[in-house]
């Protein structure tokens, strides 16, 4: 019964991430802890946007993108370390999710019909941004760029 309650609570958190009210970095840390705590994956959130106001719609979409990326790491990458980084550069917001596995290339990403990757691409496009994936035998990096927004502290 206790295990069922934990699963229901986790599903509820994933559907409605109330934790976003504490900021995207806190929400991503909670998400990574939830996704990776039972798998042995190490994770790190590198927050270089501390104090910057992220619009709610954007934060929800970044959270959902991370959800899918973390799921892909667990299903496909064969990696053990996941690093999520958030930063702003030249009025662009970036989020990268890197793992030490070997999944696929940017070319395969663009051609993919996978619902998860299609969903990531749709969310990024709806935010006016771009997504790319770099992959090698040692690592895979998903990078999201959302341009042209005036981010204020």
């Amino acid at each position: 019964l206790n295990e069922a309650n934990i699963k229901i609570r986790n599903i509820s958190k994933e559907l409605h991430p109330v934790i976003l009210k504490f900021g995207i970095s806190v929400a991503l840390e909670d998400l990574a802890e939830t996704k990776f705590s039972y798998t042995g994956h190490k994770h790190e959130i590198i927050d270089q946007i501390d104090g910057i106001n992220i619009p709610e719609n954007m934060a929800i979409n970044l959270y959902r993108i991370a959800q899918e990326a973390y799921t892909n790491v667990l299903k496909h990458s064969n990696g053990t370390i996941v690093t999520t980084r958030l930063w702003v550069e030249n009025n662009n917001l970036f989020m990268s999710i890197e793992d030490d596995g070997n999944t696929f290339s940017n070319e395969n990403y663009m051609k993919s019909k996978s619902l998860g990757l299609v969903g990531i691409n749709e969310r990024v496009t709806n935010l006016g941004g771009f997504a790319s994936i770099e992959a090698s035998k040692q690592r895979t990096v998903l990078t999201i760029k959302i341009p042209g927004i005036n981010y204020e502290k």
Side-chain angles (χ1 to χ4, degrees), residues 130-146:
F130 310 92
S132 66
I133 292 182
E134 297 174 42
S136 69
K137 291 183 179 180
Q138 293 83 25
R139 71 184 192 123
T140 301
V141 183
L142 168 67
T143 303
I144 306 300
K145 175 183 177 184
I146 303 170

Side-chain angles (χ1 to χ4, degrees), residues 82-113:
V82 181
T83 303
T84 304
R85 182 173 167 230
L86 295 160
W87 75 100
V88 172
E89 184 178 304
N90 298 325
N91 217 29
N92 298 298
L93 175 68
F94 291 88
M95 178 173 75
S96 67
I97 300 173
E98 178 177 347
D99 67 77
D100 62 339
N102 53 356
T103 312
F104 49 83
S105 68
N106 194 46
E107 181 179 310
N108 291 342
Y109 167 70
M110 294 305 176
K111 293 179 183 176
S112 177
K113 302 288 189 239

